[in-house]
Amino acid sequence: MPQIEIEVPAADGTTEAYFVTPEGSGPFPAVLFFMDAFGLRPRLAEMAARIAAEGYAVLVPNLFYRDARGPLTTPDELTDAEKRGAAFGRLVPMIKNLTRERINADTAAYLDFLAGRAEVADGPAGIVGYCMGGRAALVAATEHPNRFAALASFHAGGVVTDGPDSPHLAVPNLTAEVYFGHADNDGSMTPEQIKALEITLAEAGVEYTSELYEGASHGFTMSDTPVHNPEAEQRHWAALLPLLGRTLS
């Protein structure tokens, strides 16, 4: 399966990215994959390849390109609790710098890149995000509603806040079919916040599914971290791949 590490135009420069397509010339429907806070690394390339194997052209950009180029973390920072805490100290300012305005502008650039590739089919894309990338994916889909047919967000944080610009308040803009897979006992997405999100989605008439993965911690899909939950990861694939199949075919 072709996997290319490339430079992609973004709003404020260029970013490194994975661009993965199936065998063959295509064209294939596009899927934009928004990373977790730990950045581009073999695990994300592996996940992108699994999605691509289902018949999609998958782009995974470094969302933090304004602040740092990859790798953003080392393998031992992912597995050692103390070192992981230190890594978060570096990464949190980058997360805060990824504002709605920047996500909006970058998403337009990523979609335009995909639209210009011969391997990519015309029509709306899908978008999937993990952890802070799940929040960014929601922002992207609400800022560019006509360019996405599917949105999937897993163990996302910061989706519901007390602020007037909380990402969940823009869900009436959505035209995509939406799936949220929430981590259990997740301080960044509490039961009250999940309920608020679901009420807003329902009132807006969005076609959505919102599920709690009981016993699964924040980050449960990431097999290169101690919070990986194999059963929850498989459940996530069982939700994501059919969503893409019915909306992007």
Side-chain angles (χ1 to χ4, degrees), residues 102-114:
R102 287 178 167 179
I103 294 168
N104 177 12
D106 286 338
T107 299
Y110 302 146
L111 290 171
D112 289 347
F113 163 82
L114 287 166

Side-chain angles (χ1 to χ4, degrees), residues 21-177:
T21 61
E23 299 291 344
S25 58
F28 309 104
V31 175
L32 191 54
F33 182 132
F34 278 179
M35 66 189 204
D36 64 354
F38 295 131
L40 303 189
R41 59 193 192 279
R43 173 55 179 162
L44 297 197
E46 176 186 286
M47 295 172 76
R50 178 158 183 181
I51 297 171
E54 299 293 320
Y56 306 103
V58 184
L59 180 68
V60 192
N62 171 18
L63 300 180
F64 295 158
Y65 71 92
R66 293 177 181 85
D67 298 296
R69 295 182 62 85
L72 301 177
T73 51
T74 61
D76 60 331
E77 286 178 323
L78 299 179
T79 56
D80 182 278
E82 184 175 343
K83 292 181 179 179
R84 192 164 60 252
F88 265 115
R90 299 194 313 272
L91 297 170
V92 166
M94 300 184 197
I95 296 172
K96 292 180 178 179
N97 283 342
L98 195 61
T99 62
R100 171 179 289 275
E101 292 75 20
R102 287 178 167 179
I103 294 168
N104 177 12
D106 286 338
T107 299
Y110 302 146
L111 290 171
D112 289 347
F113 163 82
L114 287 166
R117 298 287 299 205
E119 309 97 315
V120 177
D122 294 336
I127 188 167
V128 57
Y130 299 87
C131 299
M132 67 94 195
R135 175 188 67 86
L138 174 59
V139 171
T142 57
E143 291 286 344
H144 301 275
N146 295 327
R147 302 188 75 175
F148 291 107
L151 160 66
S153 174
F154 296 95
H155 45 80
V159 171
V160 176
T161 72
D162 295 330
D165 60 346
S166 176
H168 83 291
L169 296 178
V171 301
N173 296 342
L174 290 171
T175 60
E177 182 180 345

Side-chain angles (χ1 to χ4, degrees), residues 127 134 137-138 141-142 145 148-154 159 170-182 197-198 201-202 204-211 239-240 243-244 246-247:
I127 188 167
L138 174 59
T142 57
F148 291 107
L151 160 66
S153 174
F154 296 95
V159 171
V171 301
N173 296 342
L174 290 171
T175 60
E177 182 180 345
V178 176
Y179 181 90
F180 284 95
H182 306 288
L197 171 64
E198 292 172 345
L201 288 164
V206 175
E207 184 177 0
Y208 80 96
T209 302
S210 175
E211 296 184 321
L240 173 61
L243 170 68
L244 298 177
R246 64 179 173 265
T247 57

